[in-house]
Amino acid sequence: MKKILLFLALLLTYQTSISQCERAASGFGNNTMTTSYNISGDVTVTLNANNTVTLDLESNFSTASGPDVRVYLIDSKGESDNAIRNSSVVDYPATDIIEFGLITTFNGASSFTVNIPGSVNILEFDKVYFNCFANDVLWDFGSYTPFTSGTCTLSLEDNTLNKISIYPNPTSNLIRIVSPTNEIVQIRIFNTLGNLIYQKEKRLNQDIDVSGLKSGIYILSATSDRKNISKKLIIK
């Protein structure tokens, strides 16, 4: 019984406890003019639960030292590598660039964490970009796979899913997720052992057939874009 209660508490807490996601950046070596500036070693980008993003330069990180080398994330919007080489950080609008700050360790590990500006869509960003800002000189850049809403859930602030309810609950056959919106969401139902027993995309305010579930307590999770909420579901 204690294990069941603990599982329910953890799943219900999940609606405000959001997962981290991590991406490895690769494909550095894009400075064809001054190759000593090129980045080597591991660089990772982590999307955090509190609407921040972290850039980690790992212990094997290395590049030439410079007077004002800064690191950024950018939304390349599909630009070619050659176009990025010939661009400047000042060319990117505020919605397409996030600055982490100055690099002070050119060999070895360092970490940067910044708030995600409200004006940007972090799910569109795909490049880690190093630049000597003082001289407006490209240092190097690499790519990472953009974060996706299916694997990275962000903030629940101002989330219309917070206003949903399950009706009727308890039930024996049909339920409806009542919401002020009719958006399409990913519905998942878990049993008390944490096993996923139902998964389907459904539009809110439409009936869901749960007649195949045995009597008991379940957790229903609804996910839409970058939002997630969980509710207790009782089958009688």
Side-chain angles (χ1 to χ4, degrees):
M1 183 64 179
K2 288 183 178 179
K3 290 183 178 180
I4 293 174
L5 292 175
L6 177 60
F7 171 74
L8 291 175
L10 288 173
L11 270 182
L12 289 172
T13 301
Y14 178 69
Q15 60 185 303
T16 53
S17 176
I18 312 302
S19 63
Q20 287 188 338
C21 291
E22 184 177 287
R23 295 285 191 267
S26 61
F28 292 101
N30 288 293
N31 191 326
T32 56
M33 299 295 293
T34 310
T35 57
S36 62
Y37 292 168
N38 284 325
I39 303 300
S40 64
D42 297 322
V43 177
T44 59
V45 184
T46 303
L47 188 58
N48 302 309
N50 57 349
N51 204 43
T52 64
V53 60
T54 297
L55 182 80
D56 287 306
L57 311 179
E58 308 297 345
S59 59
N60 61 349
F61 174 83
S62 181
T63 186
S65 59
D68 188 16
V69 179
R70 307 186 189 198
V71 61
Y72 307 80
L73 294 185
I74 62 172
D75 173 5
S76 71
K77 297 191 180 302
E79 282 190 324
S80 68
D81 287 352
N82 190 56
I84 296 173
R85 286 188 195 96
N86 291 296
S87 65
S88 165
V89 290
V90 299
D91 295 332
Y92 291 96
T95 54
D96 294 343
I97 191 165
I98 298 173
E99 181 182 344
F100 287 99
L102 285 169
I103 298 175
T104 56
T105 303
F106 295 92
N107 292 279
S110 57
S111 182
F112 310 81
T113 298
V114 297
N115 292 322
I116 300 172
S119 60
V120 310
N121 180 2
I122 190 64
L123 303 183
E124 300 293 334
F125 282 63
D126 59 347
K127 302 290 184 184
V128 179
Y129 186 95
F130 294 82
N131 180 269
C132 181
F133 189 78
N135 299 319
D136 193 18
V137 172
L138 167 71
W139 218 251
D140 196 5
F141 63 88
S143 304
Y144 67 92
T145 303
F147 299 108
T148 62
S149 59
T151 56
C152 298
T153 308
L154 302 180
S155 175
L156 288 178
E157 294 180 0
D158 301 322
N159 180 5
T160 58
L161 288 183
N162 282 329
K163 302 174 184 178
I164 73 168
S165 60
I166 300 173
Y167 178 83
N169 191 17
T171 187
S172 58
N173 44 38
L174 297 176
I175 60 170
R176 178 172 292 192
I177 302 176
V178 181
S179 168
T181 70
N182 290 319
E183 60 186 307
I184 296 174
V185 298
Q186 184 73 228
I187 302 297
R188 297 180 179 89
I189 298 176
F190 300 86
N191 64 18
T192 54
L193 298 177
N195 298 320
L196 177 65
I197 57 173
Y198 178 97
Q199 180 172 335
K200 186 176 288 187
E201 279 194 348
K202 295 286 289 186
R203 189 175 295 278
L204 295 174
N205 300 304
Q206 289 187 344
D207 288 340
I208 300 172
D209 185 0
V210 292
S211 59
L213 302 184
K214 297 178 180 179
S215 298
I217 298 174
Y218 297 83
I219 294 296
L220 183 149
S221 171
T223 304
S224 171
D225 190 15
R226 303 183 312 187
K227 317 171 188 72
N228 177 282
I229 195 165
S230 299
K231 297 283 187 180
K232 182 167 66 173
L233 171 64
I234 300 174
I235 304 296
K236 62 182 181 180

